[in-house]
Amino acid sequence: MGWNQKTPIPLKNMNSEKEALSKRAYISVDHAVENAGFGPAQIKYMLAACVVFFTEVQFIHLGSLNLPSITCEWNLQKWQILVLLISAAVTRTIGSYVGGSLSDKFGRRNNVVLGLFSMILFGLLAILQTDFYMYVAFRACSFFFLHCITPSALCIVLEITPRKMRFLAKMVLAVAGQLGATCSSLVAMYYLNTVGWRDLTFYLTVPCFLPLLIFWFLSDSPRYLFLSGDVEGGRKAMGEIFRMNGKEDTSHLIKNVKDQDRGNVGQMFTPEFAKTTWMLLIVIAVKNLVISVMHTSLPYILQVITFMVTVHNLALCKYPAVMATLR
């Protein structure tokens, strides 16, 4: 789906910048991204996003690993375990939607930084609680901000990556997430019974400052900067990508054209997106079925409910990131 009503004029057809401007040639941000190609700039942002995805999955997986210890400490009933799981799923649902919307309004980079800081703050406050319900409240807030950051990190990477390389970018981020789960499992295997779930959570939460510092020094998405009216900032960010990839800088020819409407959940099932949407939903459903079965201490019906809520969270209500992927 293009940004402009007119087809951008390829720069190779122009003999000079002066001729291009005299013929009112322009390029869209998408066209500039394709011209910049795939190189060190995309790898830099991809690695930064990998750290975010690593952190996210590690944090979520750690919650499952801590569940038996938390159950024993507070002598939880089945319904209390359900409250703990559902509260996290619901806040992740809301956080995914709100985070995607806020990233459109305040910037992808700013959303990642604010989300990471808030996630760490509420995560640390949660492990200090001696009351179960206060722990649930702070943990839910932490999960809310956790799912504010991943759609924004994903959007930054996809918006600066040429279309043909977006599959590679998504695959690398998925691998980073699985490495996060593996890391938390290995650490818990060796230290959970030694240091306790509170100390373990603290040790794995503090390193979350690393992606915060990384994104603090990165430029925002050129697409967001242009659409928010910061033309100079957008050209500067796009120019940096051209220079890092060793390509001719044509960012000065990018026209500030307003993007189309963000879209809504219903558009995921239009003929243009339906096939990819259903494929994504199937993959997410299978993944979360496996995750739900991990909670073997729950009755079967509660496992099913948890599974359904998790699928709803990660699929439909995370549509800002999904829509960016489909584009």
Side-chain angles (χ1 to χ4, degrees):
M1 291 188 287
W3 281 20
N4 306 315
Q5 296 178 352
K6 299 180 181 179
T7 302
I9 301 176
L11 294 181
K12 63 182 179 180
N13 295 337
M14 298 298 168
N15 296 325
S16 65
E17 176 186 337
K18 183 177 181 180
E19 181 182 352
L21 292 176
S22 66
K23 294 186 177 183
R24 304 182 66 82
Y26 67 89
I27 58 175
S28 66
V29 179
D30 283 341
H31 193 77
V33 168
E34 297 297 328
N35 287 343
F38 185 86
Q42 285 76 17
I43 293 175
K44 180 179 72 171
Y45 278 88
M46 194 184 302
L47 291 176
C50 280
V51 179
V52 171
F53 275 71
F54 181 95
T55 301
E56 178 205 25
V57 179
Q58 174 184 265
F59 198 82
I60 295 174
H61 196 61
L62 183 62
S64 299
L65 296 173
N66 286 339
L67 185 59
S69 299
I70 294 172
T71 302
C72 292
E73 177 173 328
W74 278 302
N75 193 25
L76 300 180
Q77 303 297 316
K78 298 294 185 180
W79 66 270
Q80 291 176 306
I81 298 175
L82 180 63
V83 169
L84 182 63
L85 297 175
I86 295 298
S87 64
V90 170
T91 52
R92 284 163 63 189
T93 298
I94 300 172
S96 298
Y97 180 85
V98 173
S101 300
L102 290 178
S103 70
D104 276 351
K105 187 173 183 179
F106 299 108
R108 286 83 161 98
R109 170 189 164 277
N110 293 338
N111 203 48
V112 171
V113 172
L114 176 62
L116 281 168
F117 177 80
S118 302
M119 183 204 76
I120 295 170
L121 175 63
F122 283 105
L124 294 177
L125 289 174
I127 63 177
L128 296 176
Q129 303 306 311
T130 57
D131 179 75
F132 169 70
Y133 296 103
M134 290 299 296
Y135 168 76
V136 171
F138 280 109
R139 182 174 181 268
C141 291
S142 183
F143 272 88
F144 171 87
F145 287 104
L146 177 68
H147 271 54
C148 278
I149 61 179
T150 46
S152 299
L154 174 63
C155 284
I156 290 180
V157 173
L158 295 181
E159 288 178 348
I160 67 169
T161 302
R163 286 183 177 274
K164 292 183 179 180
M165 300 301 294
R166 289 181 183 178
F167 174 79
L168 173 63
K170 289 180 284 185
M171 183 179 68
V172 171
L173 294 178
V175 171
Q178 296 309 310
L179 288 176
T182 303
C183 176
S184 61
S185 298
L186 292 175
V187 173
M189 183 186 302
Y190 289 101
Y191 297 106
L192 182 58
N193 294 329
T194 304
V195 300
W197 71 270
R198 295 179 188 272
D199 291 337
L200 180 64
T201 304
F202 174 79
Y203 295 146
L204 291 181
T205 300
V206 171
C208 296
F209 278 106
L210 176 60
L212 189 155
L213 293 175
I214 292 176
F215 269 90
W216 181 268
F217 294 101
L218 290 179
S219 299
D220 211 328
S221 163
R223 172 181 287 185
Y224 164 75
L225 293 173
F226 271 99
L227 297 182
S228 63
D230 187 2
V231 179
E232 291 303 318
R235 287 175 177 164
K236 181 179 179 181
M238 196 67 233
E240 181 181 350
I241 294 175
F242 276 112
R243 287 189 292 273
M244 289 189 66
N245 289 354
K247 298 296 182 69
E248 179 186 358
D249 186 0
T250 57
S251 58
H252 55 283
L253 293 178
I254 299 176
K255 185 177 181 180
N256 181 30
V257 181
K258 184 175 178 59
D259 192 12
Q260 59 187 2
D261 182 68
R262 180 179 181 79
N264 52 55
V265 176
Q267 290 182 350
M268 293 172 60
F269 299 96
T270 58
E272 185 176 5
F273 294 135
K275 182 178 178 180
T276 306
T277 298
W278 283 114
M279 291 177 64
L280 286 172
L281 292 179
I282 292 172
V283 170
I284 294 172
V286 173
K287 171 186 174 183
N288 286 284
L289 179 60
V290 175
I291 294 175
S292 299
V293 172
M294 291 172 57
H295 302 302
T296 54
S297 59
L298 291 175
Y300 176 75
I301 185 62
L302 298 187
Q303 292 184 35
V304 173
I305 294 175
T306 304
F307 164 68
M308 293 175 63
V309 172
T310 309
V311 170
H312 173 70
N313 161 39
L314 293 181
L316 298 182
C317 285
K318 208 166 185 177
Y319 81 87
V322 174
M323 290 296 289
T325 303
L326 298 178
R327 290 178 186 176

